[in-house]
């Protein structure tokens, strides 16, 4: 438990550090390298368009990241009058479950609260993912993967121009790291260039991981399931996939796709207000 609590603090700091490094590299290294002569640069140059695209992706990724943290799943233990003694222990071992009316309800040890439609605990946000912040979490994963892909392409263009190498051969990227390590220790490669090359592989790994996690999460949403329900083997009521999507993304899904906004249209919230 101590290791998990430590990871719950270190992982968000690690993500913010990577985000800051990516922003600095894009704004102060990659994009300025595309401006050879500012006086002859057209208004809609590739560098300006790339900068605008990167800022859009970064703003959405960071905005949804903040909303995931702020929109903590509601503590249903307060509404159910659950204490912190034997009653909470019943939630931990699964012997007590008022979940017939609250499907997918789970007590998280790290957050110390009972949440409805619990999906999982995200260490990179230090928060549980549930019915209240699921949409923002999906958007966070989507825009993080796109921002990493954008940074990967810009970084490859920068390395290609700096080292005068071509990535036309698919094997060029796979062999870039071992060749760069040998050149770095031989003194033929600068430390800044080696750092950018390492960041290329980091962006690739984070981008693929976020994209895969986003696709897996969308598949569960279409089925009307959560990761917690799948892990526990819970049977969910079959519903049309459109209803499952609307429950998570709401009717104004296009607005949430373009800008980071809270989702206040969940079925659970409407039923609670009634």
């Amino acid at each position: 438990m101590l290791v998990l609590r430590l990871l719950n603090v270190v992982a968000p700091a690690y993500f913010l550090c990577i985000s800051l490094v990516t922003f600095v590299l894009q704004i102060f290294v990659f994009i300025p390298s595309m401006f050879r002569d500012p006086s002859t640069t057209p208004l809609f140059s590739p560098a300006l368009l790339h900068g605008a695209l990167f800022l859009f992706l970064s703003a959405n990724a960071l905005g949804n990241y903040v909303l995931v943290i702020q929109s903590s799943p509601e503590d249903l233990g307060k509404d159910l009058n659950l204490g912190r003694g034997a009653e909470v222990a019943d939630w931990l071992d699964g012997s007590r479950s008022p979940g017939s009316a609250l499907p997918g309800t789970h007590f998280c040890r790290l957050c110390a609260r009972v949440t409805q439609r619990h999906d999982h605990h995200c260490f990179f946000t230090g928060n549980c993912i549930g019915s209240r912040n699921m949409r923002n979490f999906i958007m966070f994963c989507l825009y993080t993967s796109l921002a990493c892909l954008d940074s990967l392409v810009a970084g490859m263009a920068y390395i290609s121009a700096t080292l005068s190498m071509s990535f036309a051969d698919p094997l060029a990227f796979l062999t870039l790291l071992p060749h760069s390590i040998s050149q770095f220790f031989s003194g033929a490669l600068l430390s800044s260039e080696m750092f950018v090359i390492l960041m290329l592989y980091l962006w690739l790994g984070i981008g693929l991981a976020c994209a895969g996690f986003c696709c897996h999460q969308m598949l569960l949403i279409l089925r009307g399931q959560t990761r917690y329900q799948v892990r526990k083997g819970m049977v969910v009521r079959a519903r049309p996939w459109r209803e499952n999507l609307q429950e998570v993304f709401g009717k104004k899904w296009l607005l949430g796709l373009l800008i980071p906004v809270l989702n206040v249209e969940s079925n659970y919230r409407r039923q609670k207000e009634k």
Side-chain angles (χ1 to χ4, degrees), residues 3 102 108 117 122 182 228 233 259 270:
V3 176
L102 302 172
C108 179
R117 289 195 63 83
C122 178
S182 61
Y228 174 74
I259 58 176
R270 289 196 295 266

Side-chain angles (χ1 to χ4, degrees), residues 31-260:
I31 294 179
S33 66
M34 301 179 185
F35 289 95
R36 298 304 180 185
D37 187 2
S39 60
T40 60
T41 300
L43 178 62
F44 296 102
S45 66
L48 288 177
L49 294 177
H50 170 75
L53 176 62
F54 173 73
L55 291 178
F56 171 76
L57 297 176
S58 301
N60 275 276
L62 183 60
N64 283 285
Y65 179 81
V66 173
L67 292 180
V68 170
I69 298 177
Q70 291 183 346
S71 305
S72 300
E74 296 169 306
D75 189 358
L76 301 182
K78 299 178 180 179
D79 299 333
L80 297 173
N81 295 322
L82 293 177
R84 299 187 61 85
E87 292 181 341
V88 172
D90 292 338
W91 279 87
L92 295 178
D93 59 18
S95 60
R96 176 179 181 175
S97 178
S100 58
L102 302 172
T105 305
H106 175 64
F107 177 83
C108 179
R109 295 173 182 265
L110 297 176
C111 296
R113 58 171 173 254
V114 181
T115 59
Q116 193 224 12
R117 289 195 63 83
H118 174 88
D119 189 85
H120 69 284
H121 182 90
C122 178
F123 289 98
F124 284 98
T125 60
N127 200 4
C128 277
I129 307 301
S131 58
R132 191 178 181 184
N133 56 4
M134 175 59 73
R135 185 180 74 172
N136 296 118
F137 178 75
I138 294 293
M139 292 295 100
F140 160 68
C141 292
L142 174 63
Y143 280 105
T144 298
S145 63
L146 294 178
C148 288
L149 176 61
D150 179 82
S151 301
L152 176 64
V153 173
M156 291 176 62
Y158 173 79
I159 291 297
S160 178
T162 303
L163 302 182
S164 300
M165 62 178 301
S166 174
F167 288 99
D169 186 4
L171 297 179
F173 183 79
L174 298 178
T175 58
L176 175 62
L177 183 60
H179 289 171
S180 300
I181 293 178
S182 61
Q183 293 179 2
F184 175 73
F185 285 105
S186 63
L189 193 66
L190 299 177
S191 57
S192 59
E193 298 170 346
M194 186 63 197
F195 178 75
V196 173
I197 293 175
L198 292 176
M199 290 299 299
L200 293 180
Y201 289 90
L202 184 61
W203 288 325
L204 177 63
I206 296 177
L208 291 178
C210 289
F213 197 91
C214 183
C215 293
H216 175 68
Q217 205 70 42
M218 284 298 300
L219 180 61
L220 292 178
I221 292 175
L222 291 174
R223 295 176 177 176
Q225 294 177 311
T226 63
R227 293 181 62 189
Y228 174 74
Q229 291 173 339
V230 173
R231 188 170 66 251
K232 294 297 182 179
M234 298 180 179
V235 180
V236 297
R237 181 172 59 90
R239 295 188 308 174
W241 61 271
R242 294 180 182 273
E243 293 184 10
N244 296 328
L245 283 178
Q246 183 174 340
E247 182 180 13
V248 175
F249 292 94
K251 296 181 179 180
K252 301 178 181 179
W253 59 271
L254 184 58
L255 180 63
L257 185 63
L258 298 177
I259 58 176

